[in-house]
Amino acid sequence: MMPTLTLALKDLRLLLRDSRSAVILLVMPLLLILILGLSIGSLFEQKPDDRIRVSVVNLDAGLSESHTGFPPKPWSQMVLDDLTNTGNVRVELIPTREEAERLIRKGDRAAVVVFEPQFSDFVQRCSFVGEPFTHDPINPLYRDGILTREIGVTILRNPSQLVAYSVINQVVQVTLMRVVIPWMIGRAFEMIGTPPFMDRMEQYIPALKGAYLIISKQTIGEGIQKGIGGFFSKYDFTGKTWAKLTKSEEPPAIAENRSAYEAPDGSVRLNRGAMRYQVLVPAYTVTFAFFLVLTVGWLFVAERRHGTLIRLRAAPLTRWQILLGKLLPCLAVSLAQGFLLLLCGNLIFGMSFGPAPWLLLPVVVCTSCAAVGLAMLVAGMARTETQVAVYGTLLVLMLAGLSGSMMPRDLMPETMRQISRVTPHAWALEAYGQLLPPPAEPGQPPAPPPDTVDVLRDCGVLAGFGAVFLGLAWWRMRLD
Amino acid sequence: MNQPILAISDVRKQYGRAPALNGVSLDVQAGELFGLLGPNGAGKTTLMSILAGLLDATSGTVTLFGQPLSQQARSLRQSIGIATQDLALYPELTARENLTFFGRLYGLAGEPLRHRVEELLAGVGLTERGDDRAGTFSGGMKRRLNLAIAVIHRPKLLLLDEPTTGVDPQSRNHIFEQVRSLNAAGMTMIYTSHYMEEVQALCPRIAIMDQGRMLACDTLPNLLRRLESVLHLQFDTPPETLRARLAELPGVTGCTIQGQRVELTTPNAAPLLPRIATVCAELAQMPTTMELQQPTLERVFLHLTGHDLRD
């Protein structure tokens, strides 16, 4: 064991004196985390979102102060509620028309719906019935749906994104019809049987006046209304909302479907403790763990180049002792790298160690095992520094790309996530994903504790990768 | 004569179809400084690799201290030191660290190791530079350190494979001194080189190799004795009877005249010179120039192989 330790300590000393390795293994990942955190860090905080985003500027002045009855809130809120409660639609509220116009101009939004100040007033006046039953009525209906300009709705559009605009327009049309039409029906139905209605009916059926001698005008009016209502028994014409009109349940409110517009942060700030670091730090810890391939490869190549491998072979050492003496310092460096990067992640970037920090230990250890195994395999096959640099770098970058450690893994399609499991990186990232959840939003419950069984399974797979790589390295390694 | 500690018998080594060694046999005595002379590609390094346990012979046997030597015979490696043709040291480590590291690999530790390291640094003249990284050394200094590393564990057999390649005269002398000193202390050595003057200066017994074969193995005088001295005499007008008078001198084995130039061959030139002087005086024709070519290893090599050593 003594010669192995002697060899290991010598290699450790060489590694510690190798500034190139220190740069690759420690400085580079920290720099990348810093740069990515400052530049596109918000990308790492996004979750995949397949919902249609409907951007809205609400300038609606609401209903008059004297208004009572239906609707209980401004019509713009009625429309926003309907939109928000629609599945797969996300409502984004933009504060000003100027901001909306700027986003349209820049092409950041295909369309923005603007509720003009008179919106509630206009909708309130929507009616199937004209004068004298309704004062100054508005008929918003036309061939294709709701004529938005009639009710004070403007849809800003970017001419270069017409398809997206059309989709948003259709979504808005459906919602407007669901809000406006029940209101108009209910309003009209309320008028059926009323004295003005009966007076108008007398113009078409003069005999009605004679009937009043037998049945009162009010009774006939109420009967007509009830009769029509009964004829359309599947509908409630008095409902005024789509759910009531169709006698359906009100859709559940989906609060997360509505959010305020967040302008991209143009400032360059570290944002310590931001969610991005819960992704960036483990991602680059894992990616750069495998850059050990270069360091170990160079160590082996240097041993050949300096002729010292011949001395080692001429010494009373077994092949096993030589390889173990090489492996141990590499493992030590890899472990130190893993723990240091996580520690720096915590100290510099404010990354949280999550609810079960002790579980990080096996993840770091098993990731190092896999990285050292791969590094020994590459070292056993490469013969020159150039081979190590070219093949090693290509291999590491390819594995990192495939595993999703260079991008938010959550954004990967499911199929790619499954494929990525052929890389050890993916298993390490899965484990870190459980152990380093994003910090809880104010008012939101904290992330659930990690599934220990899942994490240990990931560690087991990583150790398995390491064992297979080391087996192959032992088989392929030629010391002569 | 000491007992042979190393016996090589009919050793052959093939790399694919190419034979690197073709039936080499020789014995090396304890305490001997044995020279292995041959051009590049003669098979010297292959033979040294087999002796160091780095390679196994394709056939034949090698025994060291009576035990078969092979890649698996690790216990024997403690008795072998090797200074390879190419430098074998860590340029990022200091001279002291290099020596300490290799000393530990051979089981040295503590005060004995420290003492041995200082002793060797002093021996190769590197005490002052002991804490400098080997990578900053000149070629000669690296060679000296390379030699010190090879003997850190006091091997009984030291293999020196072209130990002076690319060194300055000062370092070469240092290495020679160190080699002589180690040999005087009882260390058996095999010294390979394609520099004949080195082998001639250091090694009492020499083997000459070429193309994987052992062409000759003997003491230096015996090797030289295989060739005769050649004496060239230049005359203004060689007399008619000169050739006959010289040819009949005792010790002359051949005499030819080409124009003004006379060539005599003899196994021993020293007693012949006064006799030649007498003949010339009697003929009243003294040579204008006289040149004596003694047998050298180079001429022996040329004689044995038909080509020059540095071809």
Side-chain angles (χ1 to χ4, degrees), chain B residues 1-16:
Chain B
M1 178 65 81
N2 293 322
Q3 291 300 308
I5 60 162
L6 176 68
I8 301 169
S9 174
D10 195 25
V11 164
R12 295 167 194 273
K13 179 69 185 175
Q14 296 269 138
Y15 290 113

Side-chain angles (χ1 to χ4, degrees), chain A residues 8-57:
Chain A
L9 286 173
K10 182 269 299 175
D11 273 351
L12 196 57
R13 181 175 286 170
L14 291 178
L15 284 169
L16 293 177
R17 285 181 185 175
D18 182 6
S19 53
R20 181 174 56 175
S21 293
V23 167
I24 290 173
L25 297 179
L26 284 177
V27 179
M28 283 291 288
L30 287 175
L31 267 179
L32 274 174
I33 292 168
L34 179 68
I35 292 166
L36 291 175
L38 291 175
S39 55
I40 56 166
S42 57
L43 182 70
F44 288 82
E45 294 170 1
Q46 289 176 4
K47 293 285 177 189
D49 195 345
D50 296 331
R51 296 172 299 176
I52 296 173
R53 179 177 58 198
V54 177
S55 303
V56 174
V57 179

Side-chain angles (χ1 to χ4, degrees), chain A residues 58 60-63 71-81 119-120:
Chain A
N58 189 3
D60 181 20
L63 294 156
K73 48 190 159 186
W75 279 108
S76 54
Q77 290 302 327
M78 298 291 285
V79 174
L80 287 173
D81 285 352
F119 178 70
S120 280

Side-chain angles (χ1 to χ4, degrees), chain B residues 21-43:
Chain B
L21 291 177
N22 203 348
V24 172
S25 299
L26 63 91
D27 289 345
V28 176
Q29 312 298 319
E32 192 174 5
L33 175 43
F34 185 86
L36 204 53
L37 182 68
N40 291 328

Side-chain angles (χ1 to χ4, degrees), chain A residues 26 116 158 161 176 179 239 267 295 323 347 387 407 472:
Chain A
L26 284 177
E116 303 291 357
N158 181 301
Q161 301 180 55
L176 285 174
V179 171
S267 64
T295 302
L323 291 182
L347 295 176
Q387 281 182 358
M407 66 192 92
L472 289 172

